[in-house]
Amino acid sequence: MLKSYAAAVLALVVGLGSGLGSLPCAAVTAEAHTTQTASAPKVLRAFLSTGETGLDPAVASDIASLSLLENLFDPLLRYDYLARPVKLQANTLAAMPSVADDGRTYTFHLRQDVYFTDDPAFQGARRQVTAHDYVYSLKRLYDPALKSPWSFLLEGKIVGDAALKARFGYDGDIAGLQAVDKFTLRIRLNAADPNFLFYLAIPATGVVAREVVEAYGVQVGNHPVGTGPFKIGTWKRSDQISLLANRDFRPMFFQGRRLPLVDRVDIKIMEEYQSRVLGFLNGEFDFLEQLPESMKEMVLTGDAQPTLKPELARKGLVLSPFPVLQTYYMWMNMEDPLIGGYGKDKVALRRAIALSYNSAEDIAQMKKGLALRAETPLPPNVLGYDPAYRSPVGYDPALANALLDRHGYNKGPGGLRTLPDGKPLTLVMHTEPSMVGRLRDELWRKNLNAIGLRVTFKGDKKTEIIKASRLGTVMMFETNWVADFPDGDNFYQLLYGPNKAGPNYARFNLPAYNQRYEQTRTMGDSPARTRLYDEMAQIIHAYTPWVLLTHPISADVRQPWLRNYTRHPVEFTNWRYLDVDAHTRR
């Protein structure tokens, strides 16, 4: 990755806010609403890179499902579409919440024009959203039957929530989670949490109706009933999905026009990279986010500062490079009998694996220059990121070999190493059965074989791998994390010991790390917190539960007929704001 392009992209994201106003609020009068013409419906055409697993806000955690949930369900807050740096704004609230008790008490006044979409569970009634619905929805994150991957957001933070842990029930009162009246919600925290409002802007905290959940039971994720700008139309699992504009959606406006701006969103699941790019170039999709690195030559030219191929530029396509709040890493199971543990021999094995990773080759050949080397878990532009920090672990196969020799991982026949007790040593890395997955397998095989480590690959769908990871049955897996909110806490919590049944797939549990993490949770963005983050990064490099890989730079391309397109750093989709010009669309 040449520095000139990286610098240009980072400057771009900082400058996005200049000249862009905030999203016009819902108070814009109905007279400003421009109605759709009676002509053919406006259809936005998009794709998702993986299949959805289910549409229950409390349960779903994959990007495809979250992208859909963002458009079907409503948390209390959302991000201003255009504001940079990112800024929260009221969503189902009449105004931003009031804060008291030194940041421990929040009072939310709900809008009174928020309704669930029609469903037989409501028995013909038009179902208004109340504060009680949000109490119920937030309690669902604690429900042991759901095993919500989002429980870590709230557990131990809300006054009295220990009762939910001891004996869960939806009907009992919790002191810190109260519907004061029909449209007033009050949340009291045990301690101030600078990121608390960010939690209330993610799909997991979207409002659901109790009668819908009880009507459909374990199948509720197959019957999404929300309050968002869209509702489910057709749904062919992990293949094609259509979202229909919810024309009962409360008055929300963008540039004087009522949201959503299109009548339908047609979504295809496109797992193969080549199919996505060819589909976009053929006009089947209105935009292409995160151009696959292996397909770069089909769309871009140049290395120092990639640009669109001249023939595509002449067609009016627009390129927007975008630094994603995302970190790629390869985690190793700290409880696995072969690779896990905190003893010197196990640390040496994992450290050698990290030293075998050639980041320069990965970025140049696999990422095609569209990435930055990851020094810490934090990507640039996340609060707490330290641009001066440099990882002490670099590509050094000679040091990796010396480390393995010193700790008894001796070479046997064929130059492959054994365990210190002489037994065979075979690493097992889970992988996704795709073209890119196979290419990455070969990169890892070459790197690991170079230091005498045998590795085999076990292919499966990512959703299945994640399920197995939460059970602790996966040894190693390369994955990535996209920011749920733009703060370092969202990344460093991935290695917090108590989260090992959730997003801490490495099952890392070290007191020195946990203590520092707990300290940072009560701190706002500050030099003192950044110093603690740097210490946590040093612990990660010392014990190596992760091999830190890259932060991608997304090459986003859009068709000339797409209007209002701006990539948001945190939210997964911008579908409600997008419009298409039917006169120029082909």
Side-chain angles (χ1 to χ4, degrees):
M1 179 62 183
L2 296 182
K3 291 182 179 179
S4 60
Y5 185 51
V9 174
L10 294 178
L12 171 68
V13 83
V14 172
L16 276 174
S18 59
L20 293 176
S22 299
L23 176 68
C25 69
V28 177
T29 61
E31 284 75 18
H33 172 36
T34 303
T35 59
Q36 300 287 351
T37 64
S39 58
K42 285 189 175 182
V43 181
L44 178 70
R45 299 179 300 202
F47 68 82
L48 294 172
S49 58
T50 59
E52 76 292 349
T53 56
L55 299 179
D56 182 347
V59 175
S61 61
D62 59 284
I63 291 178
S65 298
L66 294 173
S67 297
L68 296 167
L69 289 171
E70 215 171 52
N71 294 278
L72 298 169
F73 293 87
D74 271 316
L76 292 162
L77 302 168
R78 281 186 64 89
Y79 290 89
D80 185 315
Y81 179 41
L82 297 179
R84 305 291 187 276
V86 296
K87 183 177 73 173
L88 291 171
Q89 64 180 15
N91 184 36
T92 56
L93 300 175
M96 287 295 285
S98 61
V99 186
D101 299 334
D102 296 322
R104 289 176 296 173
T105 299
Y106 293 82
T107 303
F108 306 85
H109 297 285
L110 271 64
R111 293 175 59 140
Q112 298 184 29
D113 57 356
V114 183
Y115 292 87
F116 290 102
T117 56
D118 292 339
D119 189 84
F122 302 134
Q123 299 181 351
R126 192 180 185 210
R127 177 64 159 77
Q128 189 177 29
V129 172
T130 70
H132 295 279
D133 294 315
Y134 275 104
V135 170
Y136 172 76
S137 300
L138 295 177
K139 280 185 177 179
R140 293 189 75 230
L141 303 186
Y142 293 86
D143 191 337
L146 296 180
K147 296 182 174 62
S148 173
W150 304 100
S151 59
F152 72 93
L153 291 174
L154 302 181
E155 278 185 354
K157 298 177 183 178
I158 295 179
V159 172
D161 70 356
L164 292 174
K165 193 79 172 175
R167 186 175 182 179
F168 181 81
Y170 285 106
D171 295 318
D173 288 338
I174 300 299
L177 183 58
Q178 294 284 330
V180 178
D181 57 42
K182 188 174 182 180
F183 299 110
T184 305
L185 172 70
R186 182 167 295 144
I187 300 178
R188 292 167 49 217
L189 305 180
N190 290 311
D193 183 344
N195 291 314
F196 182 67
L197 290 182
F198 286 133
Y199 309 156
L200 303 181
I202 65 175
T205 58
V207 66
V208 300
R210 182 170 184 171
E211 52 264 60
V212 171
V213 175
E214 293 178 348
Y216 297 110
V218 295
Q219 294 296 318
V220 70
N222 297 326
H223 299 273
V225 179
T227 61
F230 295 97
K231 56 186 178 180
I232 283 285
T234 58
W235 186 3
K236 187 176 180 182
R237 310 290 166 152
S238 296
D239 183 9
Q240 296 185 20
I241 305 162
S242 69
L243 302 183
L244 305 179
N246 175 13
R247 292 306 177 199
D248 290 326
F249 186 56
R250 63 192 174 277
M252 299 289 283
F253 295 86
F254 177 66
Q255 297 178 345
R257 301 178 62 199
R258 188 166 176 172
L259 300 176
L261 300 181
V262 297
D263 300 295
R264 192 173 81 235
V265 183
D266 285 348
I267 306 146
K268 289 185 180 180
I269 306 302
M270 303 293 285
E271 296 188 349
E272 284 296 328
Y273 288 0
Q274 188 174 36
S275 299
R276 296 179 210 166
V277 177
L278 290 176
F280 172 75
L281 294 178
N282 290 332
E284 297 172 22
F285 306 116
D286 295 324
F287 57 96
L288 173 68
E289 291 182 343
Q290 211 143 339
L291 172 69
E293 296 90 351
S294 57
M295 302 287 108
K296 176 183 170 184
E297 287 79 6
M298 295 177 65
V299 179
L300 304 180
T301 183
D303 292 317
Q305 192 166 349
T307 58
L308 281 173
K309 285 191 167 184
E311 61 269 26
L312 298 181
R314 285 193 294 269
K315 292 180 179 179
L317 273 62
V318 180
L319 170 67
S320 303
F322 183 82
V324 187
L325 302 189
Q326 184 176 17
T327 299
Y328 279 82
Y329 59 99
M330 193 274 286
W331 58 263
M332 294 173 277
N333 186 348
M334 296 293 289
E335 295 180 357
D336 182 85
L338 188 147
I339 206 170
Y342 299 84
K344 290 183 179 179
D345 58 331
K346 300 297 187 180
V347 171
L349 176 58
R350 294 192 300 273
R351 182 85 58 81
I353 291 170
L355 289 166
S356 78
Y357 168 67
N358 189 339
S359 63
E361 180 183 23
D362 188 5
I363 291 171
Q365 296 186 15
M366 297 292 293
K367 302 295 185 183
K368 305 298 182 182
L370 294 171
L372 302 167
R373 168 182 158 88
E375 306 288 346
T376 78
L378 302 189
N381 301 306
V382 164
L383 296 174
Y385 171 76
D386 182 355
Y389 185 94
R390 291 294 178 268
S391 168
V393 181
Y395 175 58
D396 195 337
L399 180 58
N401 275 304
L403 195 60
L404 292 170
D405 290 342
R406 179 178 179 181
H407 288 274
Y409 295 93
N410 298 316
K411 289 186 177 180
L416 295 175
R417 296 181 182 275
T418 64
L419 290 165
D421 61 6
K423 293 180 180 178
L425 194 172
T426 300
L427 303 173
V428 180
M429 183 181 292
H430 273 65
T431 181
E432 296 180 73
S434 65
M435 180 182 69
V436 172
R438 289 187 289 272
L439 290 172
R440 297 208 64 80
D441 293 349
E442 290 310 308
L443 178 67
W444 277 113
R445 191 192 309 276
K446 183 181 75 170
N447 289 342
L448 293 170
N449 287 174
I451 60 172
L453 294 178
R454 179 192 292 110
V455 60
T456 62
F457 298 92
K458 185 175 181 179
D460 206 344
K461 288 188 175 182
K462 186 172 184 177
T463 51
E464 296 304 314
I465 297 172
I466 295 303
K467 288 178 185 176
S469 301
R470 289 183 180 143
L471 297 174
T473 59
V474 175
M475 182 188 292
M476 311 163 68
F477 181 53
E478 181 180 312
T479 189
N480 67 89
W481 187 265
V482 182
D484 300 303
F485 52 90
D487 189 86
D489 179 84
N490 191 229
F491 289 84
Y492 279 109
Q493 56 92 16
L494 297 174
L495 286 163
Y496 180 49
N499 289 343
K500 69 178 186 176
N504 181 358
Y505 302 133
R507 307 177 85 79
F508 185 59
N509 193 7
L510 191 75
Y513 183 95
N514 295 342
Q515 290 162 8
R516 286 169 173 80
Y517 175 72
E518 289 164 359
Q519 206 175 336
T520 63
R521 285 171 72 173
T522 61
M523 303 170 68
D525 183 40
S526 63
R529 192 182 71 158
T530 299
R531 283 193 294 272
L532 284 171
Y533 279 166
D534 287 351
E535 291 177 15
M536 291 159 70
Q538 290 168 8
I539 291 171
I540 294 169
H541 289 124
Y543 287 89
T544 322
W546 284 9
V547 179
L548 284 158
L549 306 178
T550 58
H551 306 302
I553 292 176
S554 176
D556 300 342
V557 191
R558 64 183 184 272
Q559 301 285 5
W561 54 78
L562 187 64
R563 302 288 181 262
N564 307 332
Y565 180 89
T566 296
R567 183 88 176 266
H568 194 274
V570 181
E571 293 189 334
F572 298 102
T573 67
N574 50 9
W575 300 341
R576 68 187 68 196
Y577 307 107
L578 299 184
D579 197 3
V580 291
D581 184 346
H583 298 292
T584 59
R585 179 186 242 167
R586 58 181 173 87

